Amino acid sequence: MTPRVPTYRQAQIDIKRYIEEKGLKPGDALPPEDRFSQEIGISRLSLREALKALDSLGIVESRQGEGVFVKAFSFDSIVDNLPYAMAMTEAQVKNLLYTRAYLELGAIPDVVNRIAPAHVERVKQLADTMLERARQGLAFAEEDHAFHVEMYKCLDNAFLDSMIDLFWRTFNRMNRVATPQPASQDVLEGRAREHIFIAEMLEQRDTFGLISAHRKHFHYLFKRYPL
């Protein structure tokens, strides 16, 4: 016997189906509450609860005094709701790590072919800033994030950019939870130099060198979570 779908879950399914069938795009308004509940055949209370849940997932957004609108796709809600550190199983962390590595490494040949000199220069500047901060014993999370974003921006693939951003923010938050103590200056300098090596290979348009440098950048994570 097929288990019955809870009312609140069915309401969410009905709303998402309505959005798909009507071809609604980000920014399009959903019908007023009374008409909407009648159209999809649920109570107004169930509709409100379902819309609140979908709002928290980033599928719709409520605007005070205006109504409910379809929201543009974003990974923000996924990052906010992901379990971190010990809450994730080792297998989940490992799968997430290697998916990130396969994605970033696989895109490198196209990055080498398409990245413009101005973007290479920006990547180099960010790497240099990381090393400067590391020598002062300072972390460089913002520069690290900007480095990865800048490197893949040339591919003009918004979905890829979102995925890379998702993975970066996930592992950055996991590392903060798992190792709350600040990294030593030696560790910071080592990671900064990894970024400098990546920037150098990128400037030389050395595809295999860049892949090698990028794999080395993942090495401390690979070592913690080996296949």
Side-chain angles (χ1 to χ4, degrees), residues 39 88 115 124-125:
E39 282 194 44
M88 291 184 78
I115 194 165
K124 289 172 57 183
Q125 289 171 357

Side-chain angles (χ1 to χ4, degrees), residues 6 17 22 31 33 46 49 67-68 70-71 87 95 116 118 124 132 140 168 173 175 177-178 189 191:
R17 183 183 296 124
K22 297 294 184 181
E33 185 180 280
S46 294
E49 291 178 349
V68 181
V70 178
K71 191 173 183 180
N95 288 340
K124 289 172 57 183
E132 290 174 11
F140 41 77
W168 186 92
R173 188 177 298 190
N175 285 334
V177 173
E189 285 195 32
R191 292 179 184 168

Side-chain angles (χ1 to χ4, degrees), residues 33-106:
E33 185 180 280
D34 55 347
R35 179 159 64 87
F36 196 19
S37 63
Q38 291 177 12
E39 282 194 44
I40 60 178
I42 61 175
S43 70
R44 295 176 68 173
L45 178 59
S46 294
L47 177 66
R48 288 192 203 110
E49 291 178 349
L51 287 173
K52 284 180 182 178
L54 294 177
D55 194 329
S56 69
L57 293 173
I59 295 173
V60 301
E61 60 178 335
S62 299
R63 300 177 190 171
Q64 187 68 33
E66 296 183 46
V68 181
F69 298 80
V70 178
K71 191 173 183 180
F73 177 79
S74 169
F75 281 111
D76 289 346
S77 60
I78 298 176
V79 174
D80 291 340
N81 288 288
L82 271 174
Y84 296 101
M86 298 308 293
M88 291 184 78
T89 67
E90 184 171 332
Q92 288 174 322
V93 174
K94 190 179 297 185
N95 288 340
L96 193 64
L97 166 63
Y98 282 89
T99 299
R100 175 188 177 186
Y102 299 149
L103 184 71
E104 293 193 25
L105 291 169

Side-chain angles (χ1 to χ4, degrees), residues 133-178:
R133 290 184 61 82
R135 285 170 172 165
Q136 300 172 47
L138 301 174
F140 41 77
E142 290 184 13
E143 291 79 8
D144 188 1
H145 181 241
F147 182 98
H148 287 268
V149 170
E150 191 72 32
M151 183 170 163
Y152 293 92
K153 188 187 297 183
C154 63
L155 299 181
D156 194 25
N157 185 322
F159 190 78
L160 175 65
D161 292 343
S162 296
M163 290 293 292
I164 289 171
D165 180 66
L166 167 67
F167 289 136
W168 186 92
R169 286 191 288 159
T170 299
F171 275 98
N172 184 60
R173 188 177 298 190
M174 283 173 54
N175 285 334
R176 290 204 311 269
V177 173

Side-chain angles (χ1 to χ4, degrees), residues 5-48:
V5 178
T7 302
Y8 74 95
R9 283 288 299 129
Q10 186 60 54
Q12 294 176 38
I13 293 169
D14 292 340
I15 293 170
K16 289 188 285 187
R17 183 183 296 124
Y18 178 93
I19 292 171
E20 292 173 359
E21 291 178 350
K22 297 294 184 181
L24 300 183
K25 301 291 188 293
D28 288 346
L30 295 177
E33 185 180 280
D34 55 347
R35 179 159 64 87
F36 196 19
S37 63
Q38 291 177 12
E39 282 194 44
I40 60 178
I42 61 175
S43 70
R44 295 176 68 173
L45 178 59
S46 294
L47 177 66
R48 288 192 203 110

